[in-house]
Amino acid sequence: MNTENLSFKYELEQKEPRTNDGGTTRGASVKDFPASIGIAGVSMRLQPGSMRELHWHANAAEWAYVISGTVRTTIIHPDGRSYTDNFEPGDVWYFPKGYGHSIQATGTEECHFILIFDYGNFSEDHTFSVTDFVSSVPPEIAAQNLGLTLEEVAALPQKEAYFAKGVVPDEMSFVATARPEESDI
């Protein structure tokens, strides 16, 4: 590491964001922040009910800290079991490298969390999303594997969705059941 002109400070929230349907993300790798050789980070915000679609990282494990709001994660273990957990400010999660996972804001306010990756050169180029995968295989293969018709496959996203808007779920339900209207949350 060249220490000439090296800065040990990076203004993550000042970085140009990636924003689309229901979420915003700002990331920094060793390319943006050269002092950060062994780790990379992302500030992510999800609007109520919005989710970061099912995805997995080929080159890094993920550790996260919830700053505000509430969020639900689902992780898929390689043995086929899945785990769903709810998080509040101050909670952390950990996903091993290669484990599929999704993240959904469950509260009525924006959810903000910081993601840390154990690879300083982390990049979305080594992250694989389910919509990106399904849209890149021949429609006949997607239909056969998902049990859908060709018309239903044609209605799926034709590129990576990344974020998706949804209803605010009832965090007491482990399915995406909408929060009851009379909820005080």
Side-chain angles (χ1 to χ4, degrees):
M1 168 174 40
N2 180 359
T3 57
E4 243 179 82
N5 300 322
L6 188 64
S7 175
F8 292 90
K9 176 183 177 181
Y10 185 80
E11 295 178 346
L12 182 60
E13 293 300 328
Q14 301 306 310
K15 182 166 183 183
E16 186 70 27
R18 174 182 183 170
T19 302
N20 66 2
D21 207 16
T24 302
T25 183
R26 292 175 169 91
S29 71
V30 71
K31 291 177 184 173
D32 307 295
F33 186 23
S36 184
I37 296 169
I39 62 173
V42 170
S43 171
M44 189 172 287
R45 297 170 189 268
L46 293 174
Q47 296 307 308
S50 294
M51 72 182 312
R52 172 67 174 97
E53 70 169 314
L54 178 63
H55 64 283
W56 57 99
H57 310 290
N59 65 354
E62 176 181 309
W63 188 94
Y65 178 81
V66 180
I67 295 172
S68 63
T70 57
V71 64
R72 169 188 294 157
T73 67
T74 300
I75 183 171
I76 302 170
H77 191 281
D79 70 7
R81 290 180 291 167
S82 63
Y83 300 87
T84 300
D85 293 294
N86 293 307
F87 296 85
E88 299 177 341
D91 291 342
V92 299
W93 69 72
Y94 172 77
F95 302 142
K97 177 173 55 174
Y99 283 49
H101 55 280
S102 64
I103 307 164
Q104 183 176 22
T106 56
T108 57
E109 298 177 5
E110 176 184 82
C111 180
H112 182 206
F113 46 93
I114 300 294
L115 304 169
I116 304 296
F117 300 95
D118 65 351
Y119 180 54
N121 204 24
F122 174 80
S123 163
E124 289 293 340
D125 295 339
H126 298 105
T127 297
F128 302 97
S129 297
V130 69
T131 55
D132 197 27
F133 177 79
V134 171
S135 67
S136 68
V137 299
E140 297 79 12
I141 301 297
Q144 181 182 12
N145 282 286
L146 298 174
L148 301 174
T149 66
L150 287 174
E151 293 77 23
E152 290 168 325
V153 170
L156 295 174
Q158 297 304 303
K159 61 182 178 112
E160 180 184 50
Y162 200 83
F163 292 121
K165 283 188 176 182
V167 297
V168 176
D170 175 357
E171 59 273 282
M172 299 308 292
S173 168
F174 285 107
V175 295
T177 305
R179 177 187 302 276
E181 290 299 321
E182 67 276 359
S183 173
D184 61 351
I185 295 178

